Amino acid sequence: YEVTQPPSVSVSPGQTASITCSGHNVGDKYTSWYQQKSGQSPVLVMYQDNKRPSGIPERFSGSNSGNTATLTISGAQAVDEADYYCQAWDSRLHVVFGGGTKLTVL
Amino acid sequence: EVQLVQSGAEVKKPGESLKISCQGSGYSFSLYWIAWVRQTPGKGLEWVGVSYPGDSHVIYSPSFQGQVSFSADKSINTAYLRLASLRASDTAIYYCARLSSGSLSAGNWFDPWGQGTPVTVSS
């Protein structure tokens, strides 16, 4: 099973950024999203499609339906610049990561 | 605070083996799965596998089967990743991360992550 992300997304400060994660019937699976800033470890920003961990700003939201899961950042800020990875589980309970999306806020 | 602390950076020669540690604190270590993830320079995240310290149950990614092994020492809340017969292509940062529960299911997520262990394999 594979999930695919766009290599890069650009957004102006204050605008909405949408990062997609495409896979066959990914809407039937739970997805998680991780933010990785340069030189740092990944950090969970969304789990079970649309649940936000404690400490993650409300501007982060998630959805998952059909063949696409989406991480949305409403009112993106410079501090949100990072690589974002989606993650799912296949039918054998093996973990699948997307290739990552570099978010640029400028 | 739940925390995972990994061992420090390593430099190895091709053919050597390596053991990376991941010590958990702030929770019942034996009751949660630990995942291992590799990140090669400038690349994305690759799942290496998961292990359950409570009963040593392990699941390896087919991409890493035969090249890695997991173990744990519950007495010191530490999980280990062993890499055998290292190659230059094993140069990467290796992360451990805790799964969200003790039941392996498709609803699990990874949180928190360790700080990563950089591994360099070079002659």
Side-chain angles (χ1 to χ4, degrees), chain A residues 30 32 34 36 40-42 44 47-48 85 87 89 92-95 97 99, chain B residues 39 43-45 47 62 95 99 104-111 113-115:
Chain A
Y30 278 128
S32 300
Y34 303 90
Q36 186 179 33
Q40 298 183 19
S41 301
L44 177 73
Y47 66 97
Q48 290 185 344
Y85 295 91
Q87 174 256 311
W89 297 78
R92 301 169 295 173
L93 285 182
H94 290 179
V95 174
F97 286 106
Chain B
Q39 186 168 38
K43 298 289 182 66
L45 305 175
W47 177 65
Y95 293 100
L99 264 66
L104 193 63
S105 75
N108 274 319
W109 58 92
F110 302 140
D111 182 52
W113 293 60
Q115 83 276 22

Side-chain angles (χ1 to χ4, degrees), chain A residues 49-74:
Chain A
D49 297 334
N50 55 17
K51 295 181 174 63
R52 199 173 55 247
S54 172
I56 300 302
E58 290 185 9
R59 63 180 179 272
F60 286 84
S61 63
S63 64
N64 187 11
S65 179
N67 295 319
T68 305
T70 303
L71 178 70
T72 301
I73 308 172
S74 303

